[in-house]
Amino acid sequence: MREATGPTVGIVANPLAGKDVRRLTSGVTPVSDAVKIGAIRRAVVGAFEGGAERVLISGDRSRLGDRALAGLDPSGPVEVLEPHGWHTGRDSQLAAARFCELGVGAVIALGGDGTQRDVAKGWRNVPLVPLAVGTNNVFPSQLEATVAGFAAGAVASGLGVAAEVTAQAKIIDITLESSGGADVALVDVCLVRGSFVGARAVWESASVSEIVAAIAEPPSVGLSAIAAAVAPVGRHEAGGVHVRLGCASKNAQRSRRIRAAVMPGSYSDVDIEHCERLRFEQPVTLWGPGVLTLDGERETVLGRGERADVAVNSNGPQVIDVGAVVAAAQRRRYPFVPVVADG
């Protein structure tokens, strides 16, 4: 595929988003392929309306992009990338990396916190419209795909000046001492009890021992909601929060019990032993044994004595403010002198 030669918007659509075990166990309706296909179609229409001259869509085994284009008559060329065939979050990661290589001007990511994280792994400072289509949606926003597409198209084309309508999100960097590997998260990193990844999604708060969160906002659902109950930190505030969970019966003088919405349709009792606010770059060491979860999904097993060093940093994705973009584009397209009422 050739490098982008004009304003180009990329669309990442994760076919697995909104379908994990947390929805099954909580009785929340899974997000169907039809919902995602409709969102892709509307985002394509909006992208061209916003000034894009080309749209690229991530490929996947479910063929969401191809199905979205069936019967659609877009205003410009639309291409679907060749699928990588992983049928995991790695597909979203590789698609984002490819968009970066091709000079894409803005990316729309359809999915939950995990999908947004995968995109950031592939392109750390991606100019991003994160569109909530997942189970846990702390990082992305509930937006109409038509307007999300318009905002991405306007940023890609320069109709909305990127520096004026984007804000750099926080990101959590993880360094694994044993392997020398590294990873990232956008919302939270947790250490949970266990020795295997399994179904990946975490829905039992009793298994969680520590949380490091970059975003811990009171209206959130997920593990970051635990931190939000005792030490809230907004997405635009500096730093993060570290929470250690305990057992009230063993540490009655030190623990406090709260209730938090750890997944849709479910509240749990949680005992908090310790919490502290974190500065940017302030390291927290999480010790095994246990499993690291990143943005709500199990990722890495830590053996006994193995450690992960975690820090909240300020240099994450460039998140596009859709409302600001639309307003800026309208001012440029439709300048007028306000009419002053008589009297």
Side-chain angles (χ1 to χ4, degrees):
M1 182 176 291
R2 58 185 174 82
E3 185 175 335
T5 55
T8 303
V9 167
I11 300 176
V12 172
N14 179 3
L16 302 178
K19 295 181 178 179
D20 64 53
V21 69
R22 288 168 294 189
R23 284 188 173 258
L24 298 176
T25 57
S26 63
V28 184
T29 304
V31 181
S32 68
D33 284 357
V35 169
K36 297 169 189 172
I37 289 166
I40 295 169
R41 290 171 65 91
R42 300 194 302 276
V44 168
V45 171
F48 284 118
E49 186 68 24
E53 295 178 7
R54 184 186 184 203
V55 173
L56 304 177
I57 304 174
S58 61
D60 63 81
R61 209 162 67 187
S62 297
R63 301 181 60 252
L64 294 180
D66 295 307
R67 292 156 68 189
L69 295 178
L72 185 68
D73 185 20
S75 302
V78 183
E79 301 175 56
V80 179
L81 301 181
E82 283 293 323
H84 294 93
W86 289 88
H87 206 55
T88 66
R90 184 160 172 76
D91 289 315
S92 299
Q93 177 185 342
L94 293 173
R98 185 66 175 137
F99 288 159
C100 181
E101 293 173 359
L102 293 171
V104 167
V107 173
I108 305 165
L110 282 71
D113 295 332
T115 301
Q116 312 304 326
R117 167 181 168 262
D118 291 327
V119 170
K121 285 182 69 174
W123 185 357
R124 186 179 178 103
N125 64 339
V126 55
L128 181 66
V129 180
L131 197 58
V133 193
T135 299
N136 283 0
N137 297 297
V138 175
F139 189 85
S141 302
Q142 298 282 354
L143 297 167
E144 165 49 41
T146 312
V147 183
F150 179 93
V155 168
S157 67
L159 188 60
V161 180
E164 299 174 358
V165 297
T166 62
Q168 192 156 33
K170 293 182 279 189
I171 195 166
I172 307 174
D173 285 300
I174 304 104
T175 303
L176 303 171
E177 183 193 44
S178 59
S179 65
D183 215 325
V184 300
L186 295 175
V187 178
D188 53 48
V189 175
C190 302
L191 183 66
V192 303
R193 300 174 185 87
S195 57
F196 59 92
V197 172
R200 300 192 70 213
V202 177
W203 66 94
E204 294 180 348
S205 61
S207 66
V208 181
S209 58
E210 293 189 68
I211 302 170
V212 174
I215 304 172
E217 296 175 331
S220 300
V221 174
L223 298 179
S224 68
I226 297 172
V230 291
V233 56
R235 65 190 61 224
H236 300 303
E237 290 184 63
V241 61
H242 174 215
V243 176
R244 185 180 302 116
L245 282 62
C247 177
S249 62
K250 293 182 179 180
N251 304 286
Q253 299 300 316
R254 300 169 57 190
S255 296
R256 54 197 278 201
R257 175 161 291 183
I258 58 100
R259 285 178 65 80
V262 296
M263 67 177 179
S266 177
Y267 278 80
S268 298
D269 290 322
V270 182
D271 295 316
I272 306 297
E273 182 179 294
H274 165 85
C275 69
E276 65 172 323
R277 290 294 298 266
L278 301 172
R279 304 180 306 276
F280 281 138
E281 301 182 12
Q282 180 179 344
V284 174
T285 300
L286 302 179
W287 291 93
V291 181
L292 286 181
T293 76
L294 311 182
D295 293 337
E297 297 181 342
R298 293 180 177 89
E299 289 288 342
T300 303
V301 176
L302 294 180
R304 185 171 299 278
E306 293 184 335
R307 62 184 280 184
D309 294 317
V310 180
V312 179
N313 290 310
S314 60
N315 55 344
Q318 297 284 348
V319 178
I320 296 169
D321 183 332
V322 171
V325 175
V326 174
Q330 289 172 337
R331 286 194 300 270
R332 294 183 65 178
R333 281 182 167 176
Y334 316 120
F336 69 97
V337 178
V339 177
V340 179
D342 295 334

